[in-house]
Amino acid sequence: ALLRFAATSLVVSAGVVLLLFSLKASKAENDYLLAENAFLLGDIPKALAILNDAAAASPEHNRIYALRARVLLDQRTSERRQILIDAGLALEELEAAESISSLDSTSLLTRATAQGRLGKFSEAEKTSLAAILVDPLSSGGYEIYGMSLE
């Protein structure tokens, strides 16, 4: 009876931990989707605000950092200094994302774009090739690879 009680307690405890983890993960995923929606609708300040809050609340969610890098690169500015600052910040965000788990092809393409904007063309070439290896059907990988060769 004691063994059965211990086993039942262990299963219940594991279930509670899993439930709490999934609630936390779903909040991070919800924030990611809200930020991505704001980004795609062109509301950059709202997307950045959501992502900044999400990164503080869920620092282990690598997609938040990867999306923040994409948003930084997409800010509409013609000032060269700000473009370089945003590209550098985007690379920092991608480093944070990669420290959590490996980058997907979109994140690798974001890195290649940032590297290209910073004049790191050989790095951009290598990164775009890595993105093509992850997703050979990605036209963006070939496009950025071609631009890095110019």
Side-chain angles (χ1 to χ4, degrees):
L2 185 58
L3 185 58
R4 176 176 261 162
F5 174 75
T8 303
S9 296
L10 181 63
V11 169
V12 170
S13 297
V16 169
V17 168
L18 183 60
L19 178 63
L20 291 174
F21 179 76
S22 64
L23 288 174
K24 184 176 181 185
S26 67
K27 169 75 171 115
E29 193 62 26
N30 185 48
D31 289 343
Y32 171 84
L33 293 172
L34 287 172
E36 185 175 45
N37 188 52
F39 170 60
L40 293 174
L41 291 173
D43 193 346
I44 301 297
K46 181 177 180 180
L48 283 174
I50 293 169
L51 289 167
N52 291 339
D53 291 345
S58 301
E60 73 287 347
H61 197 276
N62 82 323
R63 291 177 62 193
I64 290 170
Y65 299 103
L67 181 57
R68 197 158 54 175
R70 284 178 43 212
V71 171
L72 285 166
L73 286 180
D74 199 58
Q75 293 190 78
R76 305 289 188 243
T77 181
S78 58
E79 184 184 336
R80 179 73 179 146
R81 181 175 175 271
Q82 189 61 48
I83 290 170
L84 294 176
I85 290 170
D86 291 343
L89 291 173
L91 287 177
E92 290 175 14
E93 293 294 329
L94 291 166
E95 287 175 21
E98 191 171 36
S99 72
I100 298 166
S101 66
S102 59
L103 299 178
D104 61 10
S105 64
T106 302
S107 299
L108 288 167
L109 293 175
T110 302
R111 175 182 278 165
T113 301
Q115 290 167 333
R117 288 187 185 172
L118 292 170
K120 300 176 180 182
F121 299 113
S122 64
E123 290 177 35
E125 177 185 348
K126 291 174 190 168
T127 304
S128 60
L129 284 173
I132 291 168
L133 287 174
V134 171
D135 183 5
L137 300 178
S138 167
S139 61
Y142 297 100
E143 179 183 351
I144 294 173
Y145 177 70
M147 290 173 23
S148 69
L149 296 176
E150 291 181 357

